[in-house]
């Protein structure tokens, strides 16, 4: 007997099957459980990324793995199916001179059969999720870049040897479950900077030194804070003893580029809100303040001409009435967890009830694929509104 045609024993036999026709199945010579073979259901838009190997699996041994494209993160879910799925490999993947075992004893034409190598009872599917950036923040805050590192010229090799919280880009993509684009966005949101190949958060007190010196130089040199020449600012800060990298970083943290320099220096404008928030944080670092005293101190600290308004501090402070007095204290959204469940837990420990105007700044940055802001509120809060024109109040669900 001639061996079956190789084109009729594998997946080709099924792919070439005509409508309303049938084909018998056989056990593949290598039939077995094959736990290393897993079905993955994909959305059509993800197929090119997978086929061209533009995806990575990220996660530590104690974490649930995620799949990342260049711009998005997907949880990998196991899904059972009510019907069994036959896995039929291409005919080229087995020795076609081995006789297949046909499941239909009455079928006598060995030329076209489908050889099943595994029976799958489920598959994996991908669900888009928010990047898990809380770990990024905790990693970078292990070892903030401090003024002493410049003054004492800390030996980088010695720090590396001690494994004192230094993380390169490769380290971060290995440890943080986020796509490359989401990781870059997370680093930018944390005002992180790459120094000697490692991503660092610069200590607030050190950033305060640099900003104050920049403002001092602007007065000495009669610079407009809305038209700062990058070369002039950086050169002046370097002459004051600050590293070039951090001098430039100060502009990125507290300003925005208004003119991109090509053959000439770029022009920057200090962001009034960022500068005013910095000094408000500085004042409140030591604890609560009476509103009147805080406003006086704040007005003295901010640069002349910058209007310090409480509207700038949305998501940065909480204001509370205690008897006849009004107090203000630091409570920054930047310190809260990115995970929605953890975020709402922290918020309701801080206050059992929130008016919408107070709550909104603390949840507006939450991004959960497939869930709107209203959906988040329905999932994690209870809304009460005594009258139609009353301010809604939210409590824990």
């Amino acid at each position: 007997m001639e061996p079956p045609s190789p084109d009729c024993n594998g997946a080709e036999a099924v792919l070439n099957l005509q409508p309303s026709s049938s084909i018998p199945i056989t056990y593949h010579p290598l039939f077995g459980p094959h736990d290393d073979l897993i079905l993955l259901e994909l959305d059509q838009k993800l197929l090119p990324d997978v086929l061209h190997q533009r995806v990575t699996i990220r996660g530590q041994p104690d974490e649930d793995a995620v799949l990342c494209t260049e711009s998005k993160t997907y949880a990998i879910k196991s899904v059972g199916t009510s019907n069994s799925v036959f896995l039929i490999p291409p005919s080229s993947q087995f020795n076609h001179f081995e006789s297949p075992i046909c499941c239909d004893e009455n079928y006598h034409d060995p030329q076209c059969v489908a050889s099943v190598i595994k029976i799958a009872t489920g598959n994996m599917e991908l669900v888009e999720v928010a990047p898990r950036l809380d770990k990024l923040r905790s990693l970078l805050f292990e070892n903030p870049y401090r003024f002493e590192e410049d003054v004492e010229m800390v030996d980088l090799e010695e720090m590396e040897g001690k494994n004192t919280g230094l993380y390169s880009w490769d380290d971060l993509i290995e440890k943080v479950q986020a796509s490359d684009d989401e990781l870059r966005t997370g680093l930018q949101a944390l005002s992180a900077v790459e120094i000697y190949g490692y991503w660092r958060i610069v200590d607030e007190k050190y950033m305060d030194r640099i900003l104050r010196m920049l403002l001092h130089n602007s007065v000495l040199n009669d610079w407009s804070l809305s038209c700062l020449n990058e070369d002039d600012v950086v050169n002046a800060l370097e002459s004051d003893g600050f590293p070039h990298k951090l001098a430039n970083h100060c502009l990125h943290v507290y300003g925005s580029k208004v003119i991109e320099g090509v053959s000439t220096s770029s022009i920057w404008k200090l962001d009034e809100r960022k500068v005013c928030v910095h000094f408000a944080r500085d004042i409140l670092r030591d604890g609560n303040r009476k509103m009147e005293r805080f406003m006086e101190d704040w007005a003295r600290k901010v640069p002349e001409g910058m209007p310090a308004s409480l509207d700038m501090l949305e998501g940065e402070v909480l204001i509370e009435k205690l008897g006849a007095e009004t107090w203000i204290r630091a409570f920054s959204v930047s310190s809260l967890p990115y995970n929605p469940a953890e975020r709402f837990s922290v918020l309701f420990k801080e206050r059992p009830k929130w008016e919408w105007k107070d709550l909104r700044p603390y949840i507006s940055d939450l991004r959960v694929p497939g869930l709107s802001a209203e959906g988040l509120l329905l999932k994690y809060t209870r809304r009460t509104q005594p009258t139609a024109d009353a301010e809604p109040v939210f409590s824990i669900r």
Side-chain angles (χ1 to χ4, degrees), residues 45 71-75 126-132 182 338 340 365-373 375-376 379:
K45 64 184 179 182
S71 60
K72 292 183 178 180
T73 301
Y74 296 87
L126 302 179
V127 179
E128 186 180 350
V129 294
R132 298 167 183 174
E182 291 166 331
Y338 292 102
D365 66 315
L366 289 177
R367 298 288 182 270
V368 179
L371 197 61
S372 65
L376 281 172
K379 185 174 183 179

Side-chain angles (χ1 to χ4, degrees), residues 53-154:
Q53 299 182 3
R54 296 194 295 257
V55 298
T56 55
I57 302 294
R58 292 181 180 169
Q60 298 297 299
D62 60 341
E63 297 173 326
D64 292 331
V66 298
L67 181 142
C68 294
T69 64
E70 180 67 24
S71 60
K72 292 183 178 180
T73 301
Y74 296 87
I76 305 174
K77 307 287 187 180
S78 178
V79 180
T81 56
S82 57
N83 298 320
S84 295
V85 178
F86 294 163
L87 270 62
I88 303 172
S91 56
S92 59
Q93 290 192 0
F94 67 96
N95 185 350
H96 59 74
F97 287 99
E98 294 182 337
S99 298
I101 305 170
C102 186
C103 295
D104 187 349
E105 296 179 353
N106 297 318
Y107 189 83
H108 302 295
D109 181 4
Q111 298 303 308
C112 287
V113 293
S115 301
V116 177
I117 196 171
K118 171 178 178 168
I119 298 177
T121 57
N123 61 271
M124 309 300 286
E125 69 175 15
L126 302 179
V127 179
E128 186 180 350
V129 294
R132 298 167 183 174
L133 295 175
D134 285 306
K135 190 172 185 179
L136 174 65
R137 179 163 50 197
S138 65
L139 290 174
L140 295 186
F141 272 104
E142 287 178 12
N143 186 12
Y145 191 89
R146 294 185 170 87
F147 177 69
E148 292 75 19
E149 289 192 41
D150 289 330
V151 174
E152 299 173 7
M153 298 298 290
V154 175

Side-chain angles (χ1 to χ4, degrees), residues 325-341:
E325 296 178 332
T326 302
W327 289 75
I328 185 170
R329 59 190 175 93
F331 187 68
S332 178
V333 65
S334 63
S335 66
L336 299 180
Y338 292 102
N339 179 280

Side-chain angles (χ1 to χ4, degrees), residues 27 37 45 65 121 124 225-226 264 342 375 380 397:
Y27 288 106
L37 293 177
K45 64 184 179 182
T121 57
M124 309 300 286
L225 297 182
S226 61
T264 58
E342 295 175 10
Y380 295 106
R397 177 171 287 278

Side-chain angles (χ1 to χ4, degrees), residues 354-357 383-394:
W354 289 78
E355 292 186 356
W356 171 241
K357 63 180 176 61
R383 171 179 170 144
T384 56
Q385 194 170 9
T387 61
D389 57 347
E391 181 81 15
V393 174
F394 296 88

Side-chain angles (χ1 to χ4, degrees), residues 160-278:
E160 291 173 341
K162 293 180 179 178
N163 192 27
T164 52
L166 295 177
Y167 300 98
S168 66
W169 173 260
D170 288 342
D171 295 329
L172 293 177
I173 61 175
E174 179 185 346
K175 294 178 178 296
V176 180
Q177 293 182 302
S179 69
D180 288 4
D181 286 353
E182 291 166 331
L183 186 55
R184 292 188 189 97
T185 300
L187 289 168
Q188 184 177 4
L190 291 170
S191 298
V193 59
E194 191 176 20
I195 302 174
Y196 302 124
Y198 296 96
W199 284 92
R200 313 286 299 275
I201 287 178
V202 184
D203 179 67
E204 283 189 358
K205 292 182 179 179
Y206 195 6
M207 288 304 300
D208 182 65
R209 284 174 180 257
I210 304 173
L211 177 60
R212 288 176 188 271
M213 185 57 71
L214 187 158
L215 295 172
H216 176 70
N217 289 337
S218 70
V219 174
L220 289 180
N221 297 290
D222 197 25
W223 295 336
S224 168
L225 297 182
S226 61
C227 188
L228 293 170
N229 182 289
E230 181 179 314
D231 289 344
D232 291 344
V233 171
V234 172
N235 290 338
L237 288 173
E238 280 190 280
S239 67
D240 294 319
F242 297 105
H244 180 277
K245 189 83 172 182
L246 294 184
N248 191 270
H249 181 58
C250 184
L251 287 173
H252 282 83
V253 172
Y254 298 110
S256 57
K257 193 179 293 186
V258 292
I259 299 177
E260 180 71 53
V262 180
S263 57
T264 58
S265 178
S266 297
I267 303 300
W268 292 74
K269 174 184 179 181
L270 285 192
D271 186 300
E272 293 182 348
R273 182 184 181 277
K274 291 178 179 178
V275 173
C276 290
V277 166
H278 170 84

